[in-house]
Amino acid sequence: MISKLQLMQIKNFTTLIKRGITPKYTEENGTLVINQRCIRHSKIDLSLARKHNTSLRAISSDKLLQKYDVLVNSTGVGTLGRVSQYLDNDSITVDSHVTIIRPDLTKVDPLYFGFLIRNCQDRIESLAEGSTGQTELSRISLGDLDLNFIDDKIVQQKIGRFLYNLDRKVWLNEEINSTLKSISQTIFNSWFINFDVVRAKAAALENDLDPLFAGMQEISGKTKEELQLISDENYQSLTATTNLFPDEFEETKYGQIPKGWKWMPLYSTAEYVNGCSFKSKDFSTDKSGLPIIKIAELKAGIAHQTKFTNAEVKAKYAIDNGSLLYSWSGSPETSLEVFKWFGGKGWLNQHIFLINTSSLSQKAYVFNLLTHMKPVLIDVAKNKQTTGLGHVTVADMKRIHVAVPDENGLKAITEYLVPLYQMDSNNTLQNENLKQQRDTLIPKLLSGELEIN
C-alpha cells in the first residue's frame, strides 16, 4: 500500500527556524561554532569549526544545537542550500550564516525529516535572494517551503532508520579507511622516507652487532626477549622482510640513500598525464555521454553540476574505477591532493594528472609518496599563488627528487602496503555503490513510491 502524502510547510513540523550567533572567536577554551565550510556533502566536519568566547557573549539556549537539528547554509553562491543533520549531543552552536531547523519530535520522525530536507537542496538554493555574491536565504522563505510529508509516522521511522543505516555504513568505511591510511603512512614514512630499518641495521653493523636482529626489532617494535617468543612462522616472515632492506647507505649529491636505491625526480616515479582541456561547445545539453571529471567531482562525486560530453576525446584521458589521480592546481590548502577514483568511466579534465603505473606496488608507492609530500607540494604552490590559486607544475615535479627503493624495497611494499591500499580501495568502491543506492532510493522512499517491508 502506497503511503499517503500531505503537502505541508516546513514550519508546521518544527519548533525553531533561526540563524546562529555572531561569534567572538578565541583560540582558547570556548564553544565550537559550525560555519558554512563545515557543512559539505551532507556531513559536518568539525575540524573546520572555530571556538566562541562565551565570556564575551553568551549563547542563548535555543541556539545550542540539539540532536537531530538540520543545518542549512544560508549565505553566498555555491554554499547556500547545503544541508546536513546534527546527530550528536555535544554543546555546540552555528554562526549567523547557518540556519538551524529544529524538528518537532511529536509531529515527525527526526531522521526522516533530515533526509526530506536533504532531498530538496536544489529547491532551497532557488530561494536565495539578493545580488550575485551576496545572496541570502530568508528563514521565512525556508519555513514556508512546501514539502510532501508521508503522514504515517511509523513509515517515517522505517524510512529514516533505513537511510540512516546506509549513511552509517558509509561513515564506518570512511573511518576504517582513515585508519588504514594512517597505518600505511606510518610504515611508508618509517621505511621509505626516514629509512629507519636501514639505519637500525647500519648502526648495528658499526657497533659489531647483528644487523638482521636490529632490523627485526625496528620493524616489529619488539625487544630481544619478545622476539624470541614469537612463532617460528612469524619469525621467518619477519626475517624475510628485514632482509629486503640493505644494511648500509651511500652518499649522493642529494644526500644519503640506502645502498641500491636511487634518487629520482618526482615526475619520473610514474607517468603523469594531464587531463584534457574541454570547451563549452564540448558539453552535451542533455547530460548524454561520459562525465567530465574536475576537482569538484573528485571531492563530491558526480552531481547535478557535472558536465557531460559526447565529443571525441583521446583515449589517454579516459579514467575508470581504480584510476589514481593528482589534482595539481587550485586553492593549495583544499585542492592539491592525490585521489583514488571510483566514480566509473569518465573523461579527465585539465589541472588533474592521471597517474599511470606498471604495477600495484608502484601505484601504492606513488599514492603514499604523494600523500606524504602533500605539505611540501602545498608550499610549492603557495609560493606561486595568484588570486587564491596555486599550481604544482611539471617543472616543479622534475626539480623535486625523491628516494625510490630497489626491487627488494618494492617487494616490501607489495607485502605490507599493497594489501592496505587494496582494502582502502575496496571500501571506497563499496561506499560509491552505497551512495548510489541511497541517492536512488531517497526520492522513491520519500515520495511513497517504494515502501520498506
Side-chain angles (χ1 to χ4, degrees):
M1 180 179 175
I2 297 178
S3 302
K4 293 181 180 179
L5 297 175
Q6 284 185 319
L7 187 64
M8 301 285 286
Q9 294 178 321
I10 288 177
K11 65 185 179 184
N12 293 328
F13 290 88
T14 62
T15 61
L16 178 79
I17 302 178
K18 185 179 286 189
R19 292 282 189 103
I21 69 169
T22 302
K24 296 289 187 181
Y25 287 121
T26 177
E27 299 302 320
E28 306 300 326
N29 293 332
T31 300
L32 274 182
V33 181
I34 292 173
N35 57 62
Q36 293 197 119
R37 292 176 61 212
C38 299
I39 301 172
R40 190 183 293 271
H41 315 323
S42 301
K43 295 191 299 185
I44 300 171
D45 184 357
L46 291 181
S47 69
L48 299 173
R50 298 177 64 187
K51 294 176 182 177
H52 165 69
N53 189 336
T54 53
S55 65
L56 295 179
R57 178 175 293 162
I59 303 173
S60 61
S61 59
D62 61 341
K63 292 187 179 182
L64 289 172
L65 295 185
Q66 297 179 15
K67 188 174 182 178
Y68 303 122
D69 281 353
V70 176
L71 310 181
V72 182
N73 282 359
S74 301
T75 303
V77 176
T79 55
L80 187 149
R82 293 204 300 244
V83 175
S84 188
Q85 188 167 32
Y86 184 68
L87 297 173
D88 293 318
N89 291 298
D90 298 327
S91 181
I92 66 176
T93 188
V94 298
D95 71 16
S96 59
H97 300 293
V98 178
T99 300
I100 305 167
I101 307 178
R102 184 160 297 152
D104 186 337
L105 305 188
T106 67
K107 295 180 179 179
V108 66
D109 176 76
L111 291 175
Y112 166 82
F113 181 81
F115 283 104
L116 195 65
I117 304 302
R118 275 173 58 175
N119 192 51
C120 65
Q121 291 187 65
D122 289 347
R123 290 185 63 196
I124 293 174
E125 187 175 349
S126 71
L127 299 175
E129 302 171 353
S131 59
T132 302
Q134 299 294 324
T135 56
E136 295 284 343
L137 174 63
S138 160
R139 66 182 183 87
I140 304 298
S141 299
L142 187 57
D144 289 341
L145 186 64
D146 289 320
L147 297 179
N148 281 311
F149 286 80
I150 290 175
D151 62 0
D152 188 327
K153 198 170 181 182
I154 294 177
V155 175
Q156 292 178 8
Q157 290 170 346
K158 287 181 180 180
I159 293 171
R161 179 56 57 178
F162 176 80
L163 293 174
Y164 168 75
N165 284 336
L166 285 178
D167 269 353
R168 193 164 174 266
K169 176 57 179 171
V170 170
W171 300 334
L172 179 60
N173 279 343
E174 289 174 345
E175 289 177 5
I176 292 172
N177 278 359
S178 178
T179 301
L180 291 173
K181 287 173 183 173
S182 178
I183 294 171
S184 186
Q185 276 293 286
T186 298
I187 294 172
F188 183 82
N189 291 344
S190 175
W191 295 4
F192 301 101
I193 299 297
N194 299 324
F195 315 136
D196 289 336
V197 181
V198 181
R199 292 189 191 282
K201 294 177 74 173
L205 204 60
E206 289 179 3
N207 290 286
D208 295 323
L209 299 173
D210 183 358
L212 176 61
F213 202 78
M216 292 170 68
Q217 285 185 285
E218 176 62 41
I219 290 174
S220 66
K222 296 183 181 297
T223 65
K224 180 178 180 180
E225 293 73 20
E226 289 171 334
L227 277 176
Q228 293 171 344
L229 296 176
I230 67 175
S231 68
D232 289 342
E233 182 181 356
N234 288 339
Y235 194 92
Q236 290 172 7
S237 175
L238 183 57
T239 299
T241 300
T242 307
N243 279 328
L244 295 174
F245 294 89
D247 55 16
E248 58 181 312
F249 289 91
E250 52 189 8
E251 296 291 339
T252 73
K253 68 176 183 178
Y254 296 108
Q256 272 193 342
I257 194 171
K259 188 173 183 180
W261 295 21
K262 57 185 177 182
W263 292 104
M264 183 182 290
L266 176 60
Y267 190 69
S268 299
T269 56
E271 181 189 26
Y272 293 84
V273 179
N274 188 31
C276 181
S277 176
F278 291 95
K279 297 179 173 59
S280 57
K281 67 180 179 62
D282 297 321
F283 304 150
S284 60
T285 56
D286 58 355
K287 290 193 175 293
S288 58
L290 290 178
I292 297 171
I293 308 307
K294 302 180 180 180
I295 295 174
E297 283 70 33
L298 295 184
K299 293 184 175 184
I302 296 170
H304 69 276
Q305 80 275 6
T306 300
K307 303 296 184 182
F308 287 71
T309 185
N310 285 307
E312 291 187 8
V313 184
K314 291 182 179 179
K316 67 178 183 178
Y317 301 125
I319 64 172
D320 203 347
N321 290 340
S323 292
L324 189 61
L325 310 172
Y326 179 71
S327 170
W328 57 266
S329 177
S331 174
E333 295 287 355
T334 59
S335 296
L336 303 187
E337 197 165 346
V338 60
F339 295 87
K340 294 178 179 179
W341 175 254
F342 283 98
K345 296 181 183 298
W347 296 116
L348 190 64
N349 192 58
Q350 64 180 340
H351 304 309
I352 305 170
F353 285 127
L354 169 60
I355 303 172
N356 293 322
T357 58
S358 59
S359 65
L360 261 177
S361 58
Q362 185 187 12
K363 183 175 281 191
Y365 166 77
V366 174
F367 176 79
N368 279 281
L369 177 66
L370 290 173
T371 301
H372 165 78
M373 294 193 66
K374 182 177 178 179
V376 174
L377 296 173
I378 285 175
D379 285 342
V380 169
K382 280 183 174 179
N383 289 334
K384 296 178 292 184
Q385 192 169 0
T386 57
T387 63
L389 301 179
H391 314 284
V392 176
T393 64
V394 169
D396 294 324
M397 296 179 71
K398 288 181 176 180
R399 174 178 52 81
I400 299 170
H401 281 66
V402 296
V404 178
D406 59 11
E407 286 300 315
N408 281 336
L410 289 176
K411 288 179 182 178
I413 290 174
T414 299
E415 184 176 348
Y416 284 87
L417 297 185
V418 166
L420 296 171
Y421 185 92
Q422 289 179 306
M423 283 189 281
D424 175 274
S425 297
N426 291 339
N427 287 341
T428 303
L429 179 58
Q430 184 184 61
N431 271 4
E432 288 303 316
N433 291 332
L434 287 169
K435 290 175 185 177
Q436 287 180 21
Q437 292 174 25
R438 178 200 63 198
D439 294 344
T440 300
L441 289 171
I442 284 177
K444 295 179 181 295
L445 289 170
L446 296 179
S447 67
E449 179 182 342
L450 289 180
E451 290 192 341
I452 299 172
N453 295 325

